[in-house]
Amino acid sequence: MEYFIAKTFAGLETELFKELHALGAKNCEKLSRAVAFEGDLAMMYRANYFCRTALRVLWRRKQFTFNSNRQFYEQIFDFPAEEVLSPDGTLAVHATIVDSIFNTPLYASVLAKDAVCDRFRDKFGRRPSVDKDYPDVQFHLHVYKNEAQLFLDSSGESLHKRGYKVRNHPAPLNEVTAAAMILKSGWDGTCDFIDPMCGGATLSIEAAMQALNIPAGFYRREYGFYQWKNFDRQLWKSVRDEADIKDDVTINFYASDIDGRFLDIARANVQKARLQDFIVTERQDMRYSNPENTPSVVMMNPPYGERLSVDDINILYQEIGNALKQRYAGCKAYIISSDKEALKRVGLKPSRKWPMLNGSLECMFQEYELFSGDRKQYVTQKKEQA
Ligand SMILES: C[S@@+](CC[C@H](N)C(=O)[O-])C[C@H]1O[C@@H](n2cnc3c(N)ncnc32)[C@H](O)[C@@H]1O
Protein backbone atom coordinates (compact mmCIF):
# COMPACT_ATOMS: atom_id res chain seq x y z
CA MET A 1 0.00 0.00 0.00
CA GLU A 2 1.35 3.38 -0.98
CA TYR A 3 0.33 6.74 0.47
CA PHE A 4 -1.03 9.48 -1.77
CA ILE A 5 -2.49 12.96 -1.43
CA ALA A 6 -4.99 14.27 -3.97
CA LYS A 7 -5.28 18.04 -3.93
CA THR A 8 -8.40 20.06 -4.60
CA PHE A 9 -9.97 23.47 -3.97
CA ALA A 10 -11.20 24.52 -0.53
CA GLY A 11 -14.74 23.26 0.01
CA LEU A 12 -14.50 20.31 -2.38
CA GLU A 13 -12.89 17.82 0.02
CA THR A 14 -16.16 15.90 0.55
CA GLU A 15 -16.75 15.40 -3.18
CA LEU A 16 -13.15 14.28 -3.71
CA PHE A 17 -13.35 11.94 -0.72
CA LYS A 18 -16.49 10.32 -2.15
CA GLU A 19 -14.92 9.96 -5.59
CA LEU A 20 -11.75 8.33 -4.24
CA HIS A 21 -13.71 6.04 -1.95
CA ALA A 22 -15.94 4.93 -4.86
CA LEU A 23 -12.81 4.20 -6.93
CA GLY A 24 -11.55 1.81 -4.24
CA ALA A 25 -9.02 4.00 -2.44
CA LYS A 26 -8.26 2.81 1.10
CA ASN A 27 -8.06 4.78 4.35
CA CYS A 28 -9.31 8.01 2.76
CA GLU A 29 -8.91 10.99 5.05
CA LYS A 30 -10.08 14.54 4.44
CA LEU A 31 -7.38 17.17 4.87
CA SER A 32 -7.51 20.89 4.16
CA ARG A 33 -7.85 21.28 0.36
CA ALA A 34 -6.83 17.64 -0.10
CA VAL A 35 -7.70 14.02 0.59
CA ALA A 36 -5.09 11.49 1.68
CA PHE A 37 -5.58 7.88 0.60
CA GLU A 38 -3.78 4.58 0.23
CA GLY A 39 -3.61 2.13 -2.62
CA ASP A 40 -1.35 0.63 -5.25
CA LEU A 41 0.08 2.14 -8.41
CA ALA A 42 -3.13 1.31 -10.31
CA MET A 43 -5.03 3.38 -7.74
CA MET A 44 -2.73 6.32 -8.44
CA TYR A 45 -3.43 6.03 -12.19
CA ARG A 46 -7.15 5.64 -11.43
CA ALA A 47 -7.26 8.79 -9.28
CA ASN A 48 -5.60 10.77 -12.08
CA TYR A 49 -7.89 9.42 -14.78
CA PHE A 50 -11.28 9.31 -13.06
CA CYS A 51 -11.40 11.94 -10.29
CA ARG A 52 -13.34 14.98 -11.46
CA THR A 53 -12.57 17.08 -8.39
CA ALA A 54 -8.81 16.42 -8.01
CA LEU A 55 -6.28 19.03 -9.11
CA ARG A 56 -3.23 16.78 -8.74
CA VAL A 57 -2.20 13.50 -7.17
CA LEU A 58 1.01 13.30 -5.15
CA TRP A 59 2.75 10.01 -4.30
CA ARG A 60 4.67 10.05 -1.03
CA ARG A 61 8.03 8.38 -1.53
CA LYS A 62 9.81 9.30 1.65
CA GLN A 63 9.03 10.59 5.13
CA PHE A 64 11.72 11.53 7.65
CA THR A 65 12.63 13.75 10.57
CA PHE A 66 15.73 15.94 10.58
CA ASN A 67 17.46 18.36 12.90
CA SER A 68 19.91 20.08 10.61
CA ASN A 69 20.41 21.06 6.99
CA ARG A 70 23.00 18.29 6.72
CA GLN A 71 20.53 15.60 7.89
CA PHE A 72 17.88 16.91 5.54
CA TYR A 73 20.32 16.81 2.61
CA GLU A 74 21.47 13.27 3.44
CA GLN A 75 17.92 11.95 3.69
CA ILE A 76 17.05 13.32 0.26
CA PHE A 77 20.42 12.12 -1.12
CA ASP A 78 19.48 8.57 -0.03
CA PHE A 79 16.24 8.61 -2.01
CA PRO A 80 16.71 6.45 -5.16
CA ALA A 81 15.56 9.15 -7.59
CA GLU A 82 17.14 7.17 -10.48
CA GLU A 83 14.10 4.86 -10.35
CA VAL A 84 12.01 7.61 -11.91
CA LEU A 85 14.49 10.10 -13.37
CA SER A 86 17.32 9.61 -15.84
CA PRO A 87 20.64 11.50 -15.54
CA ASP A 88 19.79 13.30 -18.79
CA GLY A 89 16.27 14.20 -17.64
CA THR A 90 14.95 17.32 -15.97
CA LEU A 91 13.54 17.96 -12.51
CA ALA A 92 11.94 20.64 -10.35
CA VAL A 93 11.31 20.76 -6.62
CA HIS A 94 8.35 22.63 -5.13
CA ALA A 95 8.51 23.11 -1.36
CA THR A 96 6.07 24.24 1.30
CA ILE A 97 7.38 24.87 4.82
CA VAL A 98 5.66 25.51 8.14
CA ASP A 99 7.58 26.31 11.36
CA SER A 100 10.81 24.82 10.00
CA ILE A 101 14.52 25.60 10.35
CA PHE A 102 14.44 26.84 6.76
CA ASN A 103 13.77 30.51 6.36
CA THR A 104 12.22 30.15 2.93
CA PRO A 105 10.65 27.35 0.86
CA LEU A 106 13.14 28.26 -1.86
CA TYR A 107 16.05 27.31 0.38
CA ALA A 108 14.49 23.89 1.13
CA SER A 109 13.79 23.24 -2.53
CA VAL A 110 17.32 24.19 -3.64
CA LEU A 111 18.88 21.99 -0.95
CA ALA A 112 16.67 19.06 -1.99
CA LYS A 113 17.45 19.62 -5.68
CA ASP A 114 21.21 19.67 -4.88
CA ALA A 115 20.90 16.42 -2.93
CA VAL A 116 19.13 14.66 -5.84
CA CYS A 117 21.60 16.00 -8.41
CA ASP A 118 24.67 15.14 -6.27
CA ARG A 119 23.44 11.56 -6.01
CA PHE A 120 23.28 11.35 -9.82
CA ARG A 121 26.75 12.90 -10.18
CA ASP A 122 28.19 10.33 -7.75
CA LYS A 123 26.43 7.40 -9.44
CA PHE A 124 26.55 8.32 -13.13
CA GLY A 125 29.10 11.12 -13.46
CA ARG A 126 26.39 13.43 -14.77
CA ARG A 127 23.25 15.02 -13.37
CA PRO A 128 19.75 16.01 -14.49
CA SER A 129 19.07 19.67 -15.13
CA VAL A 130 16.40 21.92 -13.70
CA ASP A 131 13.31 22.81 -15.72
CA LYS A 132 10.80 24.71 -13.60
CA ASP A 133 8.06 24.76 -16.25
CA TYR A 134 8.03 21.30 -17.82
CA PRO A 135 10.19 18.97 -15.72
CA ASP A 136 10.25 15.22 -16.37
CA VAL A 137 9.93 14.71 -12.65
CA GLN A 138 8.28 17.22 -10.36
CA PHE A 139 9.03 16.71 -6.66
CA HIS A 140 6.90 18.23 -3.92
CA LEU A 141 8.37 18.67 -0.49
CA HIS A 142 6.18 19.28 2.56
CA VAL A 143 8.11 20.35 5.63
CA TYR A 144 6.35 20.79 8.94
CA LYS A 145 8.67 21.62 11.86
CA ASN A 146 11.39 18.95 11.60
CA GLU A 147 9.30 16.45 9.64
CA ALA A 148 9.63 16.21 5.90
CA GLN A 149 7.65 14.35 3.26
CA LEU A 150 8.95 13.91 -0.26
CA PHE A 151 6.30 13.42 -2.96
CA LEU A 152 6.33 12.79 -6.68
CA ASP A 153 3.74 14.77 -8.60
CA SER A 154 2.04 12.13 -10.73
CA SER A 155 -0.25 14.55 -12.57
CA GLY A 156 2.03 17.18 -14.12
CA GLU A 157 -0.23 19.96 -15.38
CA SER A 158 -3.22 20.55 -13.12
CA LEU A 159 -5.96 17.99 -13.71
CA HIS A 160 -8.53 20.74 -14.31
CA LYS A 161 -6.90 20.96 -17.74
CA ARG A 162 -9.05 18.20 -19.16
CA GLY A 163 -7.95 18.64 -22.75
CA TYR A 164 -11.30 19.65 -24.33
CA LYS A 165 -10.81 23.42 -24.14
CA VAL A 166 -9.45 24.35 -27.54
CA ARG A 167 -10.56 27.95 -27.22
CA ASN A 168 -10.55 30.12 -24.13
CA HIS A 169 -13.41 32.21 -22.84
CA PRO A 170 -12.25 35.44 -21.10
CA ALA A 171 -14.06 34.49 -17.86
CA PRO A 172 -13.95 30.70 -17.81
CA LEU A 173 -15.29 28.43 -15.11
CA ASN A 174 -12.65 26.09 -13.75
CA GLU A 175 -13.43 22.50 -14.84
CA VAL A 176 -12.92 21.10 -11.32
CA THR A 177 -15.26 23.76 -9.89
CA ALA A 178 -17.86 22.99 -12.58
CA ALA A 179 -17.68 19.24 -11.92
CA ALA A 180 -18.01 19.84 -8.17
CA MET A 181 -21.04 22.12 -8.65
CA ILE A 182 -22.81 19.33 -10.53
CA LEU A 183 -21.84 16.76 -7.88
CA LYS A 184 -22.97 19.07 -5.04
CA SER A 185 -26.33 19.68 -6.73
CA GLY A 186 -27.05 15.94 -6.64
CA TRP A 187 -28.18 15.98 -10.30
CA ASP A 188 -28.30 12.34 -11.26
CA GLY A 189 -28.53 12.63 -15.03
CA THR A 190 -32.23 11.76 -15.22
CA CYS A 191 -33.51 15.19 -16.33
CA ASP A 192 -32.32 17.76 -18.89
CA PHE A 193 -29.35 19.96 -18.04
CA ILE A 194 -29.49 23.61 -19.13
CA ASP A 195 -26.42 25.88 -19.18
CA PRO A 196 -28.04 29.18 -20.30
CA MET A 197 -24.99 31.47 -19.87
CA CYS A 198 -22.57 28.92 -21.19
CA GLY A 199 -19.48 30.90 -22.27
CA GLY A 200 -17.02 28.12 -23.17
CA ALA A 201 -19.62 25.46 -22.18
CA THR A 202 -17.66 24.08 -19.22
CA LEU A 203 -20.80 23.23 -17.24
CA SER A 204 -22.64 21.44 -20.03
CA ILE A 205 -19.52 19.50 -21.11
CA GLU A 206 -18.82 18.41 -17.52
CA ALA A 207 -22.51 17.46 -17.07
CA ALA A 208 -22.51 15.40 -20.27
CA MET A 209 -19.24 13.72 -19.23
CA GLN A 210 -20.80 12.78 -15.89
CA ALA A 211 -24.03 11.48 -17.46
CA LEU A 212 -22.14 9.47 -20.08
CA ASN A 213 -19.52 8.21 -17.59
CA ILE A 214 -16.71 9.78 -19.63
CA PRO A 215 -13.63 9.80 -17.36
CA ALA A 216 -12.32 13.22 -16.34
CA GLY A 217 -9.00 12.50 -18.07
CA PHE A 218 -10.45 11.05 -21.26
CA TYR A 219 -9.29 13.92 -23.49
CA ARG A 220 -5.97 14.58 -21.77
CA ARG A 221 -2.75 13.92 -23.64
CA GLU A 222 -0.21 14.22 -20.83
CA TYR A 223 0.29 13.13 -17.25
CA GLY A 224 3.35 13.66 -15.07
CA PHE A 225 3.97 9.91 -14.74
CA TYR A 226 4.32 9.51 -18.54
CA GLN A 227 7.88 10.87 -18.15
CA TRP A 228 8.87 8.60 -15.29
CA LYS A 229 11.38 5.87 -16.06
CA ASN A 230 9.20 3.28 -14.33
CA PHE A 231 5.97 4.26 -16.11
CA ASP A 232 3.90 1.06 -16.46
CA ARG A 233 2.15 1.42 -19.83
CA GLN A 234 0.35 -1.89 -19.55
CA LEU A 235 -1.11 -1.07 -16.14
CA TRP A 236 -2.11 2.41 -17.32
CA LYS A 237 -3.94 0.89 -20.28
CA SER A 238 -5.76 -1.58 -18.05
CA VAL A 239 -6.90 1.27 -15.77
CA ARG A 240 -8.21 3.25 -18.75
CA ASP A 241 -10.04 0.12 -19.95
CA GLU A 242 -12.03 0.14 -16.69
CA ALA A 243 -14.03 3.11 -18.04
CA ASP A 244 -17.62 2.15 -18.80
CA ILE A 245 -18.66 4.91 -21.20
CA LYS A 246 -22.31 4.99 -22.23
CA ASP A 247 -23.24 5.31 -25.93
CA ASP A 248 -26.37 7.29 -25.27
CA VAL A 249 -28.61 8.93 -22.71
CA THR A 250 -32.30 9.84 -22.93
CA ILE A 251 -31.90 13.41 -21.65
CA ASN A 252 -30.79 16.59 -23.41
CA PHE A 253 -28.10 19.14 -22.69
CA TYR A 254 -28.53 22.77 -23.72
CA ALA A 255 -25.73 25.34 -23.85
CA SER A 256 -26.64 28.87 -24.88
CA ASP A 257 -25.15 32.34 -24.66
CA ILE A 258 -26.25 35.81 -25.68
CA ASP A 259 -22.91 36.50 -27.38
CA GLY A 260 -22.22 34.82 -30.72
CA ARG A 261 -18.43 35.04 -30.25
CA PHE A 262 -18.66 33.06 -27.03
CA LEU A 263 -21.02 30.58 -28.61
CA ASP A 264 -18.32 29.87 -31.23
CA ILE A 265 -15.94 29.06 -28.36
CA ALA A 266 -18.58 26.78 -26.78
CA ARG A 267 -19.09 24.97 -30.10
CA ALA A 268 -15.36 24.47 -30.62
CA ASN A 269 -15.01 22.96 -27.12
CA VAL A 270 -18.12 20.76 -27.49
CA GLN A 271 -16.76 19.54 -30.85
CA LYS A 272 -13.36 18.78 -29.33
CA ALA A 273 -15.10 16.75 -26.62
CA ARG A 274 -17.04 14.97 -29.41
CA LEU A 275 -20.29 15.83 -27.60
CA GLN A 276 -22.02 17.70 -30.43
CA ASP A 277 -24.64 14.92 -30.70
CA PHE A 278 -25.57 15.47 -27.06
CA ILE A 279 -25.22 19.20 -26.37
CA VAL A 280 -27.51 21.58 -28.27
CA THR A 281 -25.75 24.93 -28.64
CA GLU A 282 -27.77 28.02 -29.52
CA ARG A 283 -27.60 31.77 -29.29
CA GLN A 284 -30.15 32.95 -26.78
CA ASP A 285 -30.81 35.59 -24.16
CA MET A 286 -31.37 33.77 -20.87
CA ARG A 287 -33.86 36.41 -19.75
CA TYR A 288 -36.33 35.29 -22.43
CA SER A 289 -35.64 31.54 -22.36
CA ASN A 290 -37.87 28.56 -21.45
CA PRO A 291 -37.00 25.00 -20.49
CA GLU A 292 -37.88 22.42 -23.17
CA ASN A 293 -38.88 19.93 -20.48
CA THR A 294 -39.88 20.14 -16.83
CA PRO A 295 -38.30 19.27 -14.49
CA SER A 296 -34.85 20.32 -15.70
CA VAL A 297 -31.73 21.44 -13.92
CA VAL A 298 -30.61 24.92 -14.94
CA MET A 299 -27.11 25.78 -13.79
CA MET A 300 -25.43 29.04 -14.58
CA ASN A 301 -22.32 31.06 -14.15
CA PRO A 302 -23.42 34.62 -14.97
CA PRO A 303 -20.92 37.47 -15.35
CA TYR A 304 -19.59 38.68 -11.98
CA GLY A 305 -18.67 42.10 -13.31
CA GLU A 306 -14.98 41.24 -12.61
CA ARG A 307 -13.67 39.89 -15.88
CA LEU A 308 -16.63 40.64 -18.18
CA SER A 309 -18.10 44.11 -18.17
CA VAL A 310 -21.85 44.35 -17.72
CA ASP A 311 -23.97 47.51 -17.91
CA ASP A 312 -25.72 46.93 -14.61
CA ILE A 313 -24.91 43.72 -12.80
CA ASN A 314 -27.74 44.13 -10.25
CA ILE A 315 -30.37 44.51 -12.95
CA LEU A 316 -29.00 41.49 -14.82
CA TYR A 317 -29.32 39.29 -11.71
CA GLN A 318 -32.81 40.67 -11.03
CA GLU A 319 -33.84 39.75 -14.58
CA ILE A 320 -32.33 36.26 -14.18
CA GLY A 321 -34.48 35.83 -11.05
CA ASN A 322 -37.59 37.07 -12.89
CA ALA A 323 -37.02 34.64 -15.78
CA LEU A 324 -36.55 31.73 -13.36
CA LYS A 325 -39.69 32.64 -11.41
CA GLN A 326 -41.87 33.19 -14.44
CA ARG A 327 -40.80 30.39 -16.78
CA TYR A 328 -38.85 27.69 -14.92
CA ALA A 329 -41.44 26.51 -12.35
CA GLY A 330 -40.87 22.86 -11.51
CA CYS A 331 -37.11 23.10 -12.22
CA LYS A 332 -34.15 23.49 -9.92
CA ALA A 333 -31.80 26.38 -10.62
CA TYR A 334 -28.20 26.83 -9.51
CA ILE A 335 -26.16 30.02 -9.71
CA ILE A 336 -22.49 30.56 -8.90
CA SER A 337 -21.21 34.09 -8.47
CA SER A 338 -18.57 36.05 -6.61
CA ASP A 339 -20.91 39.07 -6.42
CA LYS A 340 -22.85 38.48 -3.19
CA GLU A 341 -24.81 41.74 -3.54
CA ALA A 342 -25.94 40.89 -7.08
CA LEU A 343 -26.94 37.40 -5.91
CA LYS A 344 -29.40 38.99 -3.48
CA ARG A 345 -31.06 40.70 -6.48
CA VAL A 346 -32.13 37.30 -7.84
CA GLY A 347 -34.98 37.73 -5.36
CA LEU A 348 -35.45 34.02 -4.64
CA LYS A 349 -34.77 32.22 -1.38
CA PRO A 350 -31.93 29.73 -1.84
CA SER A 351 -32.79 26.23 -0.60
CA ARG A 352 -29.09 25.37 -0.18
CA LYS A 353 -25.83 27.26 -0.60
CA TRP A 354 -22.14 26.47 -0.61
CA PRO A 355 -19.10 28.77 -0.50
CA MET A 356 -16.82 27.82 -3.40
CA LEU A 357 -13.80 29.04 -5.31
CA ASN A 358 -13.69 29.61 -9.06
CA GLY A 359 -9.93 29.74 -9.56
CA SER A 360 -8.94 32.43 -7.07
CA LEU A 361 -12.37 34.08 -6.90
CA GLU A 362 -14.40 33.44 -3.75
CA CYS A 363 -17.92 32.59 -4.83
CA MET A 364 -21.26 31.46 -3.49
CA PHE A 365 -23.04 28.58 -5.21
CA GLN A 366 -26.80 28.66 -4.54
CA GLU A 367 -29.70 26.33 -5.22
CA TYR A 368 -33.26 27.53 -5.89
CA GLU A 369 -36.32 25.32 -6.00
CA LEU A 370 -38.68 26.90 -8.49
CA PHE A 371 -42.41 26.52 -8.08
CA SER A 372 -45.51 28.31 -9.29
CA GLY A 373 -47.70 30.18 -6.85
CA ASP A 374 -47.32 30.70 -3.16
CA ARG A 375 -44.10 29.70 -1.34
CA LYS A 376 -45.88 28.80 1.90
CA GLN A 377 -48.20 26.46 0.04
CA TYR A 378 -45.23 24.87 -1.78
CA VAL A 379 -43.34 24.27 1.47
CA THR A 380 -46.42 22.73 3.17
CA GLN A 381 -47.00 20.50 0.14
CA LYS A 382 -43.36 19.33 0.18
CA LYS A 383 -43.55 18.55 3.89
CA GLU A 384 -46.71 16.52 3.37
CA GLN A 385 -45.07 14.57 0.55
CA ALA A 386 -42.01 13.90 2.71
C1 LIG B 1 -18.82 34.09 -16.62
S1 LIG B 1 -19.24 33.80 -18.26
C2 LIG B 1 -19.58 32.09 -18.34
C3 LIG B 1 -18.32 31.30 -18.46
C4 LIG B 1 -18.57 29.83 -18.68
N1 LIG B 1 -19.17 29.19 -17.52
C5 LIG B 1 -17.29 29.12 -19.09
O1 LIG B 1 -16.90 28.17 -18.43
O2 LIG B 1 -16.63 29.55 -20.03
C6 LIG B 1 -20.83 34.50 -18.39
C7 LIG B 1 -21.47 34.36 -19.76
O3 LIG B 1 -22.81 34.84 -19.67
C8 LIG B 1 -23.15 35.38 -20.93
N2 LIG B 1 -24.35 36.25 -20.78
C9 LIG B 1 -24.43 37.48 -20.22
N3 LIG B 1 -25.71 37.90 -20.26
C10 LIG B 1 -26.44 36.92 -20.82
C11 LIG B 1 -27.83 36.75 -21.10
N4 LIG B 1 -28.72 37.70 -20.83
N5 LIG B 1 -28.23 35.59 -21.68
C12 LIG B 1 -27.34 34.61 -21.97
N6 LIG B 1 -26.01 34.73 -21.73
C13 LIG B 1 -25.57 35.85 -21.15
C14 LIG B 1 -21.90 36.11 -21.36
O4 LIG B 1 -21.89 36.32 -22.76
C15 LIG B 1 -20.80 35.15 -20.86
O5 LIG B 1 -20.36 34.30 -21.87
Side-chain angles (χ1 to χ4, degrees):
M1 289 277 254
E2 300 289 335
Y3 178 91
F4 303 97
I5 286 182
K7 298 205 165 193
T8 188
F9 289 126
L12 310 190
E13 297 88 351
T14 301
E15 285 68 35
L16 180 54
F17 180 98
K18 285 185 191 162
E19 286 200 281
L20 284 164
H21 186 72
L23 287 172
K26 300 278 178 271
N27 299 326
C28 299
E29 186 193 354
K30 277 193 243 174
L31 309 173
S32 162
R33 286 179 284 142
V35 174
F37 64 99
E38 289 180 354
D40 55 11
L41 200 60
M43 190 58 229
M44 184 192 78
Y45 289 157
R46 220 171 267 135
N48 271 287
Y49 193 54
F50 290 102
C51 277
R52 301 184 193 281
T53 55
L55 292 167
R56 62 184 61 255
V57 181
L58 306 179
W59 179 11
R60 187 169 74 194
R61 301 306 314 281
K62 187 158 182 151
Q63 190 180 22
F64 58 91
T65 53
F66 63 101
N67 290 307
S68 65
N69 289 3
R70 186 80 222 156
Q71 278 180 6
F72 175 85
Y73 171 94
E74 282 168 358
Q75 287 282 355
I76 303 273
F77 185 94
D78 286 345
F79 173 69
E82 62 279 5
E83 282 174 16
V84 280
L85 178 61
S86 93
D88 306 311
T90 56
L91 82 160
V93 183
H94 177 270
T96 52
I97 59 166
V98 177
D99 282 350
S100 92
I101 57 169
F102 304 122
N103 289 332
T104 64
L106 180 65
Y107 186 84
S109 67
V110 169
L111 195 57
K113 183 266 294 171
D114 286 348
V116 172
C117 290
D118 289 352
R119 180 182 171 93
F120 274 89
R121 201 182 280 124
D122 279 11
K123 266 184 146 340
F124 306 102
R126 49 195 214 284
R127 48 153 282 188
S129 47
V130 172
D131 181 342
K132 286 198 175 116
D133 298 324
Y134 300 104
D136 295 330
V137 176
Q138 172 78 59
F139 292 93
H140 282 240
L141 196 56
H142 294 180
V143 180
Y144 174 67
K145 296 191 171 164
N146 63 344
E147 289 164 18
Q149 301 184 73
L150 182 67
F151 294 89
L152 290 176
D153 181 343
S154 67
S155 307
E157 267 207 306
S158 170
L159 295 172
H160 81 272
K161 299 207 169 175
R162 308 269 204 240
Y164 60 70
K165 281 204 178 153
V166 279
R167 292 187 55 196
N168 283 324
H169 186 273
L173 188 59
N174 183 289
E175 294 80 342
V176 160
T177 307
M181 286 162 60
I182 299 163
L183 292 172
K184 279 182 189 292
S185 77
W187 176 72
D188 59 2
T190 54
C191 67
D192 289 0
F193 187 97
I194 308 170
D195 178 8
M197 295 185 147
C198 72
T202 319
L203 276 169
S204 30
I205 293 175
E206 290 293 328
M209 286 172 74
Q210 290 190 20
L212 288 158
N213 273 347
I214 298 174
F218 187 71
Y219 308 102
R220 225 174 121 102
R221 291 274 155 269
E222 281 293 327
Y223 288 88
F225 53 75
Y226 280 8
Q227 309 304 328
W228 296 355
K229 265 175 65 188
N230 57 356
F231 171 40
D232 188 338
R233 249 168 238 285
Q234 214 38 51
L235 183 62
W236 171 236
K237 185 180 177 313
S238 71
V239 164
R240 280 183 301 142
D241 287 346
E242 289 169 10
D244 182 18
I245 301 176
K246 293 184 192 166
D247 293 334
D248 209 356
V249 280
T250 50
I251 54 159
N252 307 303
F253 301 85
Y254 299 96
S256 51
D257 200 287
I258 197 170
D259 191 319
R261 291 165 308 163
F262 296 152
L263 203 60
D264 286 346
I265 298 177
R267 285 187 175 136
N269 293 340
V270 167
Q271 187 97 23
K272 174 72 183 175
R274 300 191 290 281
L275 290 171
Q276 62 276 19
D277 291 345
F278 297 94
I279 303 176
V280 178
T281 49
E282 55 187 343
R283 189 164 172 194
Q284 194 175 46
D285 186 335
M286 187 273 152
R287 295 168 296 181
Y288 309 107
S289 63
N290 289 299
E292 284 288 324
N293 296 302
T294 306
S296 289
V297 155
V298 49
M299 202 173 280
M300 70 192 99
N301 170 217
Y304 311 157
E306 297 236 11
R307 297 176 293 187
L308 289 180
S309 70
V310 178
D311 286 345
D312 188 325
I313 195 93
N314 288 334
I315 290 183
L316 175 65
Y317 279 59
Q318 196 177 322
E319 289 174 344
I320 291 173
N322 290 343
L324 291 175
K325 258 181 275 183
Q326 287 159 16
R327 291 191 292 281
Y328 284 82
C331 298
K332 272 190 181 173
Y334 297 84
I335 304 181
I336 188 169
S337 179
S338 67
D339 193 327
K340 316 256 156 66
E341 277 313 304
L343 267 177
K344 287 184 194 154
R345 298 303 190 99
V346 171
L348 292 163
K349 193 172 159 46
S351 37
R352 291 189 291 170
K353 50 184 172 182
W354 303 264
M356 280 182 81
L357 283 176
N358 177 22
S360 59
L361 291 176
E362 284 183 23
C363 297
M364 209 41 133
F365 176 48
Q366 310 206 144
E367 176 189 75
Y368 305 92
E369 286 179 25
L370 305 165
F371 50 87
S372 49
D374 183 55
R375 183 176 168 81
K376 243 188 184 166
Q377 209 180 346
Y378 170 76
V379 174
T380 321
Q381 237 173 34
K382 263 198 84 175
K383 273 191 188 150
E384 278 170 11
Q385 278 166 9

